[in-house]
Amino acid sequence: DGLVQVTTKGWNAQGVSAWNGGGIELAQVDVLTQGAGSAAVSNANGGGRITLAGGALRTEGAGSAGIAQTVGTIEVSGPLVIETTGTDSPGVTLSGSGNLQLSQTQIKTATDNSAGILVTNASSQGTTLTLNGPLLIETVGKGAHGIAASYNTALPVAVTSGSSILTHGQDADGMRLTAPTGDIFGWSVAQGASIETRAENADAINLSADSGSVRFETAGSLTTGGTNSHGVMARSPGGEVEVGNTGAVGRLILAGA
């Protein structure tokens, strides 16, 4: 029931990983990985179930996410801090058919192209993301979005009340949701949540569906501080755009609707 400490230093050396249906259940954790391609927690190669009661996940190497989830289930039941300092190192990556449940999670990334949460599922995959309790995300680098997702998850995703997303870098949107084909739907920001960007070309919410429709609901506070940075930017050349209950501070732009 005590603190579990894990440190790895080599390349492709994950801190905690489940394969081929394995199960790992840990109390409070303190995981540090220092090599490139080394996630603090990962589920791959058949996956399994990893349960964490909370703690801290830190990575220092390039391409090293705090959590890398592709298959199986990762469930965090208590407060968790995720920090990445290597290049191209998102706080969380989620793809394939992975199921990720986060509770009271704080995510900080320090470099370019290191999103807080990066979802890269395809349109036919069953990725699920559940946010239980406030989510705090802060990114510093250029192109480091707070949450970036391609296509939709299998179930709706709500950024809950008390959550905060803050980006400091250029071209770093608070939430960036894209669908190269099909529609965008099932994402929302609850009242009492806030999204803020502070650099140029950084929208609070950026929505793009090249051939489908966009449906998004937000009651949160949206603030942008840089030039050419919109509260909500929604683009759907081939369909309709519906952004409900918008709490944007700044410009609301609906392109191609």
Side-chain angles (χ1 to χ4, degrees):
D1 295 330
L3 178 67
V4 177
Q5 294 180 297
V6 178
T7 300
T8 69
K9 298 183 179 181
W11 172 80
N12 195 31
Q14 321 305 325
V16 176
S17 186
W19 289 15
N20 300 321
I24 299 174
E25 185 174 346
L26 298 173
Q28 292 288 316
V29 296
D30 183 359
V31 179
L32 169 64
T33 68
Q34 297 177 313
S38 299
V41 173
S42 73
N43 230 346
N45 297 318
R49 184 178 186 88
I50 299 175
T51 303
L52 306 176
L57 308 177
R58 296 169 291 146
T59 71
E60 297 177 351
S64 299
I67 293 177
Q69 168 66 325
T70 59
V71 65
T73 296
I74 296 177
E75 180 179 355
V76 180
S77 60
L80 180 69
V81 175
I82 298 173
E83 296 184 356
T84 71
T85 55
T87 58
D88 300 308
S89 295
V92 171
T93 62
L94 178 60
S95 62
S97 59
N99 173 21
L100 177 62
Q101 302 174 43
L102 297 176
S103 297
Q104 302 176 57
T105 301
Q106 179 178 345
I107 300 172
K108 293 184 178 181
T109 71
T111 62
D112 294 349
N113 303 314
S114 296
I117 296 177
L118 177 63
V119 183
T120 56
N121 58 305
S123 58
S124 61
Q125 293 174 319
T127 300
T128 59
L129 172 63
T130 304
L131 304 175
N132 298 316
L135 173 71
L136 305 179
I137 294 178
E138 184 174 4
T139 70
V140 174
K142 182 178 180 180
H145 309 300
I147 296 176
S150 57
Y151 296 103
N152 304 295
T153 55
L155 299 174
V157 177
V159 178
T160 58
S161 179
S163 296
S164 172
I165 298 174
L166 171 63
T167 71
H168 295 272
Q170 297 178 11
D171 306 307
D173 300 325
M175 291 185 69
R176 184 179 184 88
L177 310 178
T178 63
T181 60
D183 304 331
I184 288 178
F185 60 89
W187 293 82
S188 63
V189 178
Q191 184 175 5
S194 66
I195 299 177
E196 180 180 357
T197 69
R198 294 185 177 176
E200 62 186 14
N201 301 318
D203 302 327
I205 296 174
N206 185 295
L207 312 167
S208 177
D210 289 343
S211 61
S213 62
V214 173
R215 291 180 176 84
F216 186 86
E217 190 80 15
T218 175
S221 171
L222 310 179
T223 305
T224 66
T227 59
N228 199 35
S229 296
H230 316 299
V232 177
M233 166 66 86
R235 184 175 65 86
S236 178
E240 61 180 342
V241 174
E242 180 181 334
V243 181
N245 198 22
T246 303
V249 178
R251 290 178 289 173
L252 168 62
I253 294 184
L254 306 178

